[in-house]
PDB file of all heavy atoms in Angstrom:
ATOM      1  N   ALA A   1       2.723   3.959 -10.008  1.00  0.00           N
ATOM      2  CA  ALA A   1       2.477   4.488  -8.666  1.00  0.00           C
ATOM      3  C   ALA A   1       1.831   3.405  -7.811  1.00  0.00           C
ATOM      4  O   ALA A   1       0.778   2.871  -8.159  1.00  0.00           O
ATOM      5  CB  ALA A   1       1.574   5.711  -8.727  1.00  0.00           C
ATOM      6  N   ILE A   2       2.471   3.053  -6.708  1.00  0.00           N
ATOM      7  CA  ILE A   2       1.895   2.084  -5.778  1.00  0.00           C
ATOM      8  C   ILE A   2       0.780   2.746  -4.971  1.00  0.00           C
ATOM      9  O   ILE A   2      -0.199   2.109  -4.597  1.00  0.00           O
ATOM     10  CB  ILE A   2       2.979   1.522  -4.846  1.00  0.00           C
ATOM     11  CG1 ILE A   2       4.061   0.802  -5.665  1.00  0.00           C
ATOM     12  CG2 ILE A   2       2.389   0.568  -3.812  1.00  0.00           C
ATOM     13  CD1 ILE A   2       3.570  -0.410  -6.421  1.00  0.00           C
ATOM     14  N   ARG A   3       0.955   4.023  -4.680  1.00  0.00           N
ATOM     15  CA  ARG A   3      -0.113   4.794  -4.024  1.00  0.00           C
ATOM     16  C   ARG A   3      -0.088   6.212  -4.579  1.00  0.00           C
ATOM     17  O   ARG A   3       0.824   6.565  -5.339  1.00  0.00           O
ATOM     18  CB  ARG A   3       0.064   4.772  -2.508  1.00  0.00           C
ATOM     19  CG  ARG A   3       1.341   5.374  -1.994  1.00  0.00           C
ATOM     20  CD  ARG A   3       1.394   5.258  -0.478  1.00  0.00           C
ATOM     21  NE  ARG A   3       1.628   3.873  -0.082  1.00  0.00           N
ATOM     22  CZ  ARG A   3       2.718   3.458   0.520  1.00  0.00           C
ATOM     23  NH1 ARG A   3       3.664   4.315   0.827  1.00  0.00           N
ATOM     24  NH2 ARG A   3       2.878   2.189   0.831  1.00  0.00           N
ATOM     25  N   ASP A   4      -1.086   7.025  -4.224  1.00  0.00           N
ATOM     26  CA  ASP A   4      -1.127   8.401  -4.718  1.00  0.00           C
ATOM     27  C   ASP A   4       0.208   9.083  -4.445  1.00  0.00           C
ATOM     28  O   ASP A   4       0.697   9.087  -3.311  1.00  0.00           O
ATOM     29  CB  ASP A   4      -2.249   9.175  -4.023  1.00  0.00           C
ATOM     30  CG  ASP A   4      -3.632   8.690  -4.435  1.00  0.00           C
ATOM     31  OD1 ASP A   4      -3.727   7.997  -5.466  1.00  0.00           O
ATOM     32  OD2 ASP A   4      -4.602   8.994  -3.730  1.00  0.00           O
ATOM     33  N   SER A   5       0.809   9.666  -5.493  1.00  0.00           N
ATOM     34  CA  SER A   5       2.168  10.196  -5.365  1.00  0.00           C
ATOM     35  C   SER A   5       2.299  11.547  -6.068  1.00  0.00           C
ATOM     36  O   SER A   5       1.513  11.871  -6.961  1.00  0.00           O
ATOM     37  CB  SER A   5       3.182   9.217  -5.980  1.00  0.00           C
ATOM     38  OG  SER A   5       3.095   7.933  -5.394  1.00  0.00           O
ATOM     39  N   GLU A   6       3.287  12.306  -5.629  1.00  0.00           N
ATOM     40  CA  GLU A   6       3.679  13.533  -6.309  1.00  0.00           C
ATOM     41  C   GLU A   6       5.121  13.366  -6.780  1.00  0.00           C
ATOM     42  O   GLU A   6       5.981  12.881  -6.038  1.00  0.00           O
ATOM     43  CB  GLU A   6       3.541  14.740  -5.390  1.00  0.00           C
ATOM     44  CG  GLU A   6       2.100  15.078  -5.058  1.00  0.00           C
ATOM     45  CD  GLU A   6       1.974  16.335  -4.214  1.00  0.00           C
ATOM     46  OE1 GLU A   6       3.013  16.997  -3.982  1.00  0.00           O
ATOM     47  OE2 GLU A   6       0.850  16.655  -3.794  1.00  0.00           O
ATOM     48  N   VAL A   7       5.361  13.759  -8.013  1.00  0.00           N
ATOM     49  CA  VAL A   7       6.651  13.522  -8.656  1.00  0.00           C
ATOM     50  C   VAL A   7       7.107  14.801  -9.342  1.00  0.00           C
ATOM     51  O   VAL A   7       6.283  15.546  -9.891  1.00  0.00           O
ATOM     52  CB  VAL A   7       6.535  12.382  -9.702  1.00  0.00           C
ATOM     53  CG1 VAL A   7       7.880  12.118 -10.369  1.00  0.00           C
ATOM     54  CG2 VAL A   7       5.985  11.118  -9.066  1.00  0.00           C
ATOM     55  N   ILE A   8       8.394  15.051  -9.312  1.00  0.00           N
ATOM     56  CA  ILE A   8       8.937  16.181 -10.060  1.00  0.00           C
ATOM     57  C   ILE A   8       9.855  15.633 -11.151  1.00  0.00           C
ATOM     58  O   ILE A   8      10.618  14.683 -10.922  1.00  0.00           O
ATOM     59  CB  ILE A   8       9.685  17.166  -9.137  1.00  0.00           C
ATOM     60  CG1 ILE A   8       9.830  18.520  -9.820  1.00  0.00           C
ATOM     61  CG2 ILE A   8      11.022  16.627  -8.676  1.00  0.00           C
ATOM     62  CD1 ILE A   8      10.140  19.653  -8.877  1.00  0.00           C
ATOM     63  N   ALA A   9       9.740  16.175 -12.347  1.00  0.00           N
ATOM     64  CA  ALA A   9      10.540  15.746 -13.492  1.00  0.00           C
ATOM     65  C   ALA A   9      11.507  16.858 -13.870  1.00  0.00           C
ATOM     66  O   ALA A   9      11.109  18.019 -13.993  1.00  0.00           O
ATOM     67  CB  ALA A   9       9.638  15.409 -14.674  1.00  0.00           C
ATOM     68  N   ILE A  10      12.769  16.494 -14.051  1.00  0.00           N
ATOM     69  CA  ILE A  10      13.797  17.449 -14.472  1.00  0.00           C
ATOM     70  C   ILE A  10      14.334  16.977 -15.821  1.00  0.00           C
ATOM     71  O   ILE A  10      14.763  15.834 -15.966  1.00  0.00           O
ATOM     72  CB  ILE A  10      14.941  17.537 -13.447  1.00  0.00           C
ATOM     73  CG1 ILE A  10      14.383  17.961 -12.080  1.00  0.00           C
ATOM     74  CG2 ILE A  10      16.011  18.508 -13.908  1.00  0.00           C
ATOM     75  CD1 ILE A  10      15.417  17.951 -10.977  1.00  0.00           C
ATOM     76  N   SER A  11      14.308  17.844 -16.804  1.00  0.00           N
ATOM     77  CA  SER A  11      14.744  17.471 -18.145  1.00  0.00           C
ATOM     78  C   SER A  11      16.242  17.173 -18.156  1.00  0.00           C
ATOM     79  O   SER A  11      16.976  17.516 -17.229  1.00  0.00           O
ATOM     80  CB  SER A  11      14.447  18.601 -19.130  1.00  0.00           C
ATOM     81  OG  SER A  11      15.286  19.711 -18.850  1.00  0.00           O
ATOM     82  N   ARG A  12      16.676  16.552 -19.247  1.00  0.00           N
ATOM     83  CA  ARG A  12      18.103  16.262 -19.404  1.00  0.00           C
ATOM     84  C   ARG A  12      18.935  17.541 -19.315  1.00  0.00           C
ATOM     85  O   ARG A  12      19.975  17.583 -18.663  1.00  0.00           O
ATOM     86  CB  ARG A  12      18.351  15.574 -20.752  1.00  0.00           C
ATOM     87  CG  ARG A  12      19.825  15.199 -20.992  1.00  0.00           C
ATOM     88  CD  ARG A  12      20.036  14.720 -22.420  1.00  0.00           C
ATOM     89  NE  ARG A  12      19.131  13.643 -22.749  1.00  0.00           N
ATOM     90  CZ  ARG A  12      19.325  12.373 -22.383  1.00  0.00           C
ATOM     91  NH1 ARG A  12      20.388  12.074 -21.653  1.00  0.00           N
ATOM     92  NH2 ARG A  12      18.474  11.444 -22.719  1.00  0.00           N
ATOM     93  N   LYS A  13      18.441  18.602 -19.930  1.00  0.00           N
ATOM     94  CA  LYS A  13      19.165  19.878 -19.915  1.00  0.00           C
ATOM     95  C   LYS A  13      19.276  20.425 -18.497  1.00  0.00           C
ATOM     96  O   LYS A  13      20.343  20.882 -18.073  1.00  0.00           O
ATOM     97  CB  LYS A  13      18.452  20.878 -20.822  1.00  0.00           C
ATOM     98  CG  LYS A  13      19.170  22.206 -20.995  1.00  0.00           C
ATOM     99  CD  LYS A  13      18.411  23.104 -21.969  1.00  0.00           C
ATOM    100  CE  LYS A  13      19.103  24.449 -22.147  1.00  0.00           C
ATOM    101  NZ  LYS A  13      18.354  25.323 -23.086  1.00  0.00           N
ATOM    102  N   GLY A  14      18.176  20.341 -17.734  1.00  0.00           N
ATOM    103  CA  GLY A  14      18.206  20.827 -16.357  1.00  0.00           C
ATOM    104  C   GLY A  14      19.143  20.008 -15.491  1.00  0.00           C
ATOM    105  O   GLY A  14      19.879  20.550 -14.653  1.00  0.00           O
ATOM    106  N   TRP A  15      19.119  18.703 -15.685  1.00  0.00           N
ATOM    107  CA  TRP A  15      20.013  17.823 -14.917  1.00  0.00           C
ATOM    108  C   TRP A  15      21.478  18.125 -15.233  1.00  0.00           C
ATOM    109  O   TRP A  15      22.324  18.159 -14.330  1.00  0.00           O
ATOM    110  CB  TRP A  15      19.674  16.364 -15.218  1.00  0.00           C
ATOM    111  CG  TRP A  15      20.647  15.375 -14.643  1.00  0.00           C
ATOM    112  CD1 TRP A  15      21.558  14.619 -15.307  1.00  0.00           C
ATOM    113  CD2 TRP A  15      20.816  15.055 -13.254  1.00  0.00           C
ATOM    114  NE1 TRP A  15      22.282  13.842 -14.447  1.00  0.00           N
ATOM    115  CE2 TRP A  15      21.844  14.091 -13.165  1.00  0.00           C
ATOM    116  CE3 TRP A  15      20.201  15.480 -12.076  1.00  0.00           C
ATOM    117  CZ2 TRP A  15      22.267  13.555 -11.968  1.00  0.00           C
ATOM    118  CZ3 TRP A  15      20.625  14.945 -10.867  1.00  0.00           C
ATOM    119  CH2 TRP A  15      21.646  13.992 -10.817  1.00  0.00           C
ATOM    120  N   GLN A  16      21.787  18.324 -16.493  1.00  0.00           N
ATOM    121  CA  GLN A  16      23.166  18.628 -16.881  1.00  0.00           C
ATOM    122  C   GLN A  16      23.648  19.931 -16.257  1.00  0.00           C
ATOM    123  O   GLN A  16      24.818  20.057 -15.872  1.00  0.00           O
ATOM    124  CB  GLN A  16      23.277  18.678 -18.406  1.00  0.00           C
ATOM    125  CG  GLN A  16      23.152  17.306 -19.065  1.00  0.00           C
ATOM    126  CD  GLN A  16      23.070  17.370 -20.571  1.00  0.00           C
ATOM    127  OE1 GLN A  16      22.782  18.421 -21.157  1.00  0.00           O
ATOM    128  NE2 GLN A  16      23.308  16.231 -21.232  1.00  0.00           N
ATOM    129  N   ARG A  17      22.755  20.917 -16.130  1.00  0.00           N
ATOM    130  CA  ARG A  17      23.130  22.165 -15.468  1.00  0.00           C
ATOM    131  C   ARG A  17      23.464  21.921 -13.996  1.00  0.00           C
ATOM    132  O   ARG A  17      24.409  22.498 -13.455  1.00  0.00           O
ATOM    133  CB  ARG A  17      21.980  23.170 -15.577  1.00  0.00           C
ATOM    134  CG  ARG A  17      21.837  23.782 -16.969  1.00  0.00           C
ATOM    135  CD  ARG A  17      20.631  24.700 -17.031  1.00  0.00           C
ATOM    136  NE  ARG A  17      20.578  25.426 -18.297  1.00  0.00           N
ATOM    137  CZ  ARG A  17      19.573  26.213 -18.667  1.00  0.00           C
ATOM    138  NH1 ARG A  17      18.526  26.370 -17.866  1.00  0.00           N
ATOM    139  NH2 ARG A  17      19.598  26.839 -19.830  1.00  0.00           N
ATOM    140  N   MET A  18      22.698  21.083 -13.353  1.00  0.00           N
ATOM    141  CA  MET A  18      22.952  20.770 -11.950  1.00  0.00           C
ATOM    142  C   MET A  18      24.292  20.056 -11.776  1.00  0.00           C
ATOM    143  O   MET A  18      25.078  20.377 -10.879  1.00  0.00           O
ATOM    144  CB  MET A  18      21.827  19.889 -11.398  1.00  0.00           C
ATOM    145  CG  MET A  18      20.516  20.605 -11.164  1.00  0.00           C
ATOM    146  SD  MET A  18      19.305  19.468 -10.443  1.00  0.00           S
ATOM    147  CE  MET A  18      17.987  20.619 -10.046  1.00  0.00           C
ATOM    148  N   VAL A  19      24.542  19.066 -12.624  1.00  0.00           N
ATOM    149  CA  VAL A  19      25.788  18.298 -12.518  1.00  0.00           C
ATOM    150  C   VAL A  19      26.999  19.190 -12.787  1.00  0.00           C
ATOM    151  O   VAL A  19      28.048  19.063 -12.128  1.00  0.00           O
ATOM    152  CB  VAL A  19      25.753  17.104 -13.500  1.00  0.00           C
ATOM    153  CG1 VAL A  19      27.118  16.445 -13.586  1.00  0.00           C
ATOM    154  CG2 VAL A  19      24.691  16.103 -13.064  1.00  0.00           C
ATOM    155  N   LYS A  20      26.869  20.089 -13.731  1.00  0.00           N
ATOM    156  CA  LYS A  20      27.978  21.002 -14.038  1.00  0.00           C
ATOM    157  C   LYS A  20      28.292  21.881 -12.848  1.00  0.00           C
ATOM    158  O   LYS A  20      29.466  22.152 -12.534  1.00  0.00           O
ATOM    159  CB  LYS A  20      27.622  21.856 -15.250  1.00  0.00           C
ATOM    160  CG  LYS A  20      28.757  22.746 -15.739  1.00  0.00           C
ATOM    161  CD  LYS A  20      28.369  23.488 -17.009  1.00  0.00           C
ATOM    162  CE  LYS A  20      29.527  24.364 -17.494  1.00  0.00           C
ATOM    163  NZ  LYS A  20      29.166  25.096 -18.749  1.00  0.00           N
ATOM    164  N   ALA A  21      27.242  22.317 -12.135  1.00  0.00           N
ATOM    165  CA  ALA A  21      27.451  23.185 -10.971  1.00  0.00           C
ATOM    166  C   ALA A  21      27.863  22.392  -9.740  1.00  0.00           C
ATOM    167  O   ALA A  21      28.571  22.902  -8.869  1.00  0.00           O
ATOM    168  CB  ALA A  21      26.172  23.969 -10.679  1.00  0.00           C
ATOM    169  N   GLU A  22      27.434  21.128  -9.640  1.00  0.00           N
ATOM    170  CA  GLU A  22      27.744  20.301  -8.471  1.00  0.00           C
ATOM    171  C   GLU A  22      28.139  18.906  -8.953  1.00  0.00           C
ATOM    172  O   GLU A  22      27.331  17.981  -9.008  1.00  0.00           O
ATOM    173  CB  GLU A  22      26.513  20.213  -7.543  1.00  0.00           C
ATOM    174  CG  GLU A  22      26.745  19.423  -6.271  1.00  0.00           C
ATOM    175  CD  GLU A  22      27.932  19.919  -5.475  1.00  0.00           C
ATOM    176  OE1 GLU A  22      28.047  21.147  -5.248  1.00  0.00           O
ATOM    177  OE2 GLU A  22      28.771  19.075  -5.112  1.00  0.00           O
ATOM    178  N   PRO A  23      29.429  18.709  -9.335  1.00  0.00           N
ATOM    179  CA  PRO A  23      29.882  17.432  -9.910  1.00  0.00           C
ATOM    180  C   PRO A  23      29.648  16.226  -9.000  1.00  0.00           C
ATOM    181  O   PRO A  23      29.544  15.101  -9.488  1.00  0.00           O
ATOM    182  CB  PRO A  23      31.384  17.672 -10.140  1.00  0.00           C
ATOM    183  CG  PRO A  23      31.518  19.158 -10.250  1.00  0.00           C
ATOM    184  CD  PRO A  23      30.489  19.716  -9.321  1.00  0.00           C
ATOM    185  N   GLU A  24      29.564  16.455  -7.678  1.00  0.00           N
ATOM    186  CA  GLU A  24      29.363  15.325  -6.775  1.00  0.00           C
ATOM    187  C   GLU A  24      27.998  14.664  -6.970  1.00  0.00           C
ATOM    188  O   GLU A  24      27.774  13.542  -6.528  1.00  0.00           O
ATOM    189  CB  GLU A  24      29.527  15.772  -5.325  1.00  0.00           C
ATOM    190  CG  GLU A  24      30.973  16.102  -4.964  1.00  0.00           C
ATOM    191  CD  GLU A  24      31.152  16.387  -3.489  1.00  0.00           C
ATOM    192  OE1 GLU A  24      30.157  16.280  -2.741  1.00  0.00           O
ATOM    193  OE2 GLU A  24      32.275  16.715  -3.082  1.00  0.00           O
ATOM    194  N   LEU A  25      27.072  15.383  -7.620  1.00  0.00           N
ATOM    195  CA  LEU A  25      25.786  14.777  -7.955  1.00  0.00           C
ATOM    196  C   LEU A  25      25.972  13.525  -8.814  1.00  0.00           C
ATOM    197  O   LEU A  25      25.245  12.538  -8.676  1.00  0.00           O
ATOM    198  CB  LEU A  25      24.913  15.774  -8.716  1.00  0.00           C
ATOM    199  CG  LEU A  25      23.981  16.692  -7.923  1.00  0.00           C
ATOM    200  CD1 LEU A  25      23.180  17.540  -8.887  1.00  0.00           C
ATOM    201  CD2 LEU A  25      23.062  15.896  -7.024  1.00  0.00           C
ATOM    202  N   LEU A  26      26.923  13.595  -9.721  1.00  0.00           N
ATOM    203  CA  LEU A  26      27.183  12.474 -10.613  1.00  0.00           C
ATOM    204  C   LEU A  26      27.637  11.250  -9.819  1.00  0.00           C
ATOM    205  O   LEU A  26      27.177  10.130 -10.051  1.00  0.00           O
ATOM    206  CB  LEU A  26      28.251  12.869 -11.638  1.00  0.00           C
ATOM    207  CG  LEU A  26      28.408  11.950 -12.851  1.00  0.00           C
ATOM    208  CD1 LEU A  26      27.114  11.859 -13.629  1.00  0.00           C
ATOM    209  CD2 LEU A  26      29.538  12.462 -13.738  1.00  0.00           C
ATOM    210  N   GLU A  27      28.520  11.472  -8.869  1.00  0.00           N
ATOM    211  CA  GLU A  27      29.007  10.374  -8.031  1.00  0.00           C
ATOM    212  C   GLU A  27      27.867   9.774  -7.212  1.00  0.00           C
ATOM    213  O   GLU A  27      27.755   8.551  -7.075  1.00  0.00           O
ATOM    214  CB  GLU A  27      30.114  10.888  -7.105  1.00  0.00           C
ATOM    215  CG  GLU A  27      30.718   9.808  -6.217  1.00  0.00           C
ATOM    216  CD  GLU A  27      31.794  10.360  -5.297  1.00  0.00           C
ATOM    217  OE1 GLU A  27      32.314  11.468  -5.578  1.00  0.00           O
ATOM    218  OE2 GLU A  27      32.108   9.693  -4.304  1.00  0.00           O
ATOM    219  N   ALA A  28      27.003  10.647  -6.651  1.00  0.00           N
ATOM    220  CA  ALA A  28      25.868  10.158  -5.861  1.00  0.00           C
ATOM    221  C   ALA A  28      24.920   9.326  -6.715  1.00  0.00           C
ATOM    222  O   ALA A  28      24.399   8.295  -6.273  1.00  0.00           O
ATOM    223  CB  ALA A  28      25.128  11.342  -5.242  1.00  0.00           C
ATOM    224  N   MET A  29      24.704   9.768  -7.959  1.00  0.00           N
ATOM    225  CA  MET A  29      23.798   9.037  -8.836  1.00  0.00           C
ATOM    226  C   MET A  29      24.388   7.686  -9.239  1.00  0.00           C
ATOM    227  O   MET A  29      23.673   6.689  -9.364  1.00  0.00           O
ATOM    228  CB  MET A  29      23.474   9.866 -10.077  1.00  0.00           C
ATOM    229  CG  MET A  29      22.334   9.289 -10.910  1.00  0.00           C
ATOM    230  SD  MET A  29      20.785   9.163  -9.990  1.00  0.00           S
ATOM    231  CE  MET A  29      20.356  10.901  -9.820  1.00  0.00           C
ATOM    232  N   ILE A  30      25.683   7.638  -9.420  1.00  0.00           N
ATOM    233  CA  ILE A  30      26.340   6.365  -9.738  1.00  0.00           C
ATOM    234  C   ILE A  30      26.148   5.374  -8.601  1.00  0.00           C
ATOM    235  O   ILE A  30      25.922   4.181  -8.811  1.00  0.00           O
ATOM    236  CB  ILE A  30      27.838   6.590 -10.052  1.00  0.00           C
ATOM    237  CG1 ILE A  30      27.981   7.317 -11.399  1.00  0.00           C
ATOM    238  CG2 ILE A  30      28.587   5.263 -10.070  1.00  0.00           C
ATOM    239  CD1 ILE A  30      29.395   7.746 -11.721  1.00  0.00           C
ATOM    240  N   ARG A  31      26.218   5.875  -7.346  1.00  0.00           N
ATOM    241  CA  ARG A  31      25.997   4.995  -6.198  1.00  0.00           C
ATOM    242  C   ARG A  31      24.574   4.445  -6.210  1.00  0.00           C
ATOM    243  O   ARG A  31      24.341   3.274  -5.895  1.00  0.00           O
ATOM    244  CB  ARG A  31      26.263   5.749  -4.896  1.00  0.00           C
ATOM    245  CG  ARG A  31      27.737   5.980  -4.608  1.00  0.00           C
ATOM    246  CD  ARG A  31      27.964   6.343  -3.148  1.00  0.00           C
ATOM    247  NE  ARG A  31      27.312   7.597  -2.782  1.00  0.00           N
ATOM    248  CZ  ARG A  31      27.902   8.786  -2.854  1.00  0.00           C
ATOM    249  NH1 ARG A  31      29.158   8.874  -3.277  1.00  0.00           N
ATOM    250  NH2 ARG A  31      27.260   9.874  -2.504  1.00  0.00           N
ATOM    251  N   VAL A  32      23.607   5.279  -6.581  1.00  0.00           N
ATOM    252  CA  VAL A  32      22.220   4.823  -6.676  1.00  0.00           C
ATOM    253  C   VAL A  32      22.092   3.722  -7.727  1.00  0.00           C
ATOM    254  O   VAL A  32      21.455   2.683  -7.510  1.00  0.00           O
ATOM    255  CB  VAL A  32      21.284   6.002  -7.027  1.00  0.00           C
ATOM    256  CG1 VAL A  32      19.884   5.498  -7.387  1.00  0.00           C
ATOM    257  CG2 VAL A  32      21.207   6.976  -5.863  1.00  0.00           C
ATOM    258  N   ILE A  33      22.721   3.939  -8.884  1.00  0.00           N
ATOM    259  CA  ILE A  33      22.634   2.958  -9.975  1.00  0.00           C
ATOM    260  C   ILE A  33      23.258   1.627  -9.547  1.00  0.00           C
ATOM    261  O   ILE A  33      22.689   0.555  -9.770  1.00  0.00           O
ATOM    262  CB  ILE A  33      23.322   3.510 -11.245  1.00  0.00           C
ATOM    263  CG1 ILE A  33      22.501   4.681 -11.815  1.00  0.00           C
ATOM    264  CG2 ILE A  33      23.476   2.419 -12.288  1.00  0.00           C
ATOM    265  CD1 ILE A  33      23.171   5.392 -12.966  1.00  0.00           C
ATOM    266  N   LEU A  34      24.423   1.676  -8.909  1.00  0.00           N
ATOM    267  CA  LEU A  34      25.090   0.449  -8.469  1.00  0.00           C
ATOM    268  C   LEU A  34      24.235  -0.302  -7.457  1.00  0.00           C
ATOM    269  O   LEU A  34      24.126  -1.532  -7.493  1.00  0.00           O
ATOM    270  CB  LEU A  34      26.463   0.774  -7.868  1.00  0.00           C
ATOM    271  CG  LEU A  34      27.543   1.231  -8.854  1.00  0.00           C
ATOM    272  CD1 LEU A  34      28.809   1.639  -8.112  1.00  0.00           C
ATOM    273  CD2 LEU A  34      27.854   0.115  -9.850  1.00  0.00           C
ATOM    274  N   LYS A  35      23.613   0.451  -6.547  1.00  0.00           N
ATOM    275  CA  LYS A  35      22.771  -0.179  -5.536  1.00  0.00           C
ATOM    276  C   LYS A  35      21.587  -0.874  -6.184  1.00  0.00           C
ATOM    277  O   LYS A  35      21.184  -1.966  -5.789  1.00  0.00           O
ATOM    278  CB  LYS A  35      22.285   0.881  -4.544  1.00  0.00           C
ATOM    279  CG  LYS A  35      21.530   0.303  -3.347  1.00  0.00           C
ATOM    280  CD  LYS A  35      21.123   1.395  -2.378  1.00  0.00           C
ATOM    281  CE  LYS A  35      22.329   1.987  -1.679  1.00  0.00           C
ATOM    282  NZ  LYS A  35      21.926   2.955  -0.627  1.00  0.00           N
ATOM    283  N   ARG A  36      21.046  -0.255  -7.217  1.00  0.00           N
ATOM    284  CA  ARG A  36      19.864  -0.826  -7.860  1.00  0.00           C
ATOM    285  C   ARG A  36      20.181  -1.966  -8.818  1.00  0.00           C
ATOM    286  O   ARG A  36      19.277  -2.621  -9.321  1.00  0.00           O
ATOM    287  CB  ARG A  36      19.087   0.273  -8.593  1.00  0.00           C
ATOM    288  CG  ARG A  36      18.402   1.225  -7.618  1.00  0.00           C
ATOM    289  CD  ARG A  36      17.673   2.336  -8.308  1.00  0.00           C
ATOM    290  NE  ARG A  36      16.953   3.156  -7.337  1.00  0.00           N
ATOM    291  CZ  ARG A  36      16.326   4.279  -7.624  1.00  0.00           C
ATOM    292  NH1 ARG A  36      16.321   4.744  -8.866  1.00  0.00           N
ATOM    293  NH2 ARG A  36      15.705   4.954  -6.696  1.00  0.00           N
ATOM    294  N   LEU A  37      21.441  -2.196  -9.079  1.00  0.00           N
ATOM    295  CA  LEU A  37      21.807  -3.340  -9.921  1.00  0.00           C
ATOM    296  C   LEU A  37      21.603  -4.652  -9.192  1.00  0.00           C
ATOM    297  O   LEU A  37      21.600  -5.716  -9.795  1.00  0.00           O
ATOM    298  CB  LEU A  37      23.272  -3.219 -10.380  1.00  0.00           C
ATOM    299  CG  LEU A  37      23.537  -2.142 -11.433  1.00  0.00           C
ATOM    300  CD1 LEU A  37      25.032  -2.068 -11.746  1.00  0.00           C
ATOM    301  CD2 LEU A  37      22.742  -2.407 -12.703  1.00  0.00           C
ATOM    302  N   GLY A  38      21.428  -4.580  -7.852  1.00  0.00           N
ATOM    303  CA  GLY A  38      21.064  -5.766  -7.091  1.00  0.00           C
ATOM    304  C   GLY A  38      22.201  -6.685  -6.747  1.00  0.00           C
ATOM    305  O   GLY A  38      21.999  -7.865  -6.484  1.00  0.00           O
ATOM    306  N   ARG A  39      23.432  -6.195  -6.729  1.00  0.00           N
ATOM    307  CA  ARG A  39      24.545  -7.047  -6.341  1.00  0.00           C
ATOM    308  C   ARG A  39      24.453  -7.377  -4.857  1.00  0.00           C
ATOM    309  O   ARG A  39      23.903  -6.628  -4.065  1.00  0.00           O
ATOM    310  CB  ARG A  39      25.877  -6.341  -6.604  1.00  0.00           C
ATOM    311  CG  ARG A  39      26.125  -6.107  -8.086  1.00  0.00           C
ATOM    312  CD  ARG A  39      26.351  -7.406  -8.828  1.00  0.00           C
ATOM    313  NE  ARG A  39      26.750  -7.165 -10.202  1.00  0.00           N
ATOM    314  CZ  ARG A  39      27.002  -8.129 -11.070  1.00  0.00           C
ATOM    315  NH1 ARG A  39      26.870  -9.376 -10.725  1.00  0.00           N
ATOM    316  NH2 ARG A  39      27.360  -7.849 -12.301  1.00  0.00           N
ATOM    317  N   ALA A  40      25.046  -8.509  -4.472  1.00  0.00           N
ATOM    318  CA  ALA A  40      25.059  -8.887  -3.069  1.00  0.00           C
ATOM    319  C   ALA A  40      25.754  -7.814  -2.258  1.00  0.00           C
ATOM    320  O   ALA A  40      26.794  -7.296  -2.633  1.00  0.00           O
ATOM    321  CB  ALA A  40      25.786 -10.228  -2.893  1.00  0.00           C
ATOM    322  N   GLY A  41      25.153  -7.505  -1.100  1.00  0.00           N
ATOM    323  CA  GLY A  41      25.749  -6.511  -0.224  1.00  0.00           C
ATOM    324  C   GLY A  41      25.400  -5.093  -0.601  1.00  0.00           C
ATOM    325  O   GLY A  41      25.758  -4.167   0.117  1.00  0.00           O
ATOM    326  N   GLN A  42      24.699  -4.894  -1.723  1.00  0.00           N
ATOM    327  CA  GLN A  42      24.327  -3.546  -2.154  1.00  0.00           C
ATOM    328  C   GLN A  42      22.800  -3.413  -2.211  1.00  0.00           C
ATOM    329  O   GLN A  42      22.257  -2.627  -2.940  1.00  0.00           O
ATOM    330  CB  GLN A  42      24.934  -3.230  -3.526  1.00  0.00           C
ATOM    331  CG  GLN A  42      26.441  -3.181  -3.508  1.00  0.00           C
ATOM    332  CD  GLN A  42      27.012  -2.920  -4.883  1.00  0.00           C
ATOM    333  OE1 GLN A  42      26.467  -3.359  -5.878  1.00  0.00           O
ATOM    334  NE2 GLN A  42      28.108  -2.205  -4.950  1.00  0.00           N
TER     335      GLN A  42
END
């Protein structure tokens, strides 16, 4: 924590339920992962 923060944790099981109900979540998360890989332009 860089400063005082509030965080919510979702278990693997809870996340899988969300993705099953809303598959586009998976695509959005992939975009986050690609952005954080630090490639040029991302």
Side-chain angles (χ1 to χ4, degrees):
I2 299 297
R3 61 181 72 114
D4 291 343
S5 303
E6 291 184 6
V7 181
I8 199 162
I10 301 175
S11 69
R12 181 189 306 280
K13 185 177 179 181
W15 172 252
Q16 289 172 342
R17 285 177 173 174
M18 287 183 172
V19 170
K20 186 176 181 180
E22 182 54 48
E24 289 187 3
L25 270 182
L26 194 59
E27 182 181 342
M29 191 60 70
I30 290 173
R31 285 197 297 269
V32 169
I33 291 173
L34 289 175
K35 187 178 291 186
R36 289 178 176 173
L37 288 177
R39 294 292 187 180
Q42 295 178 326

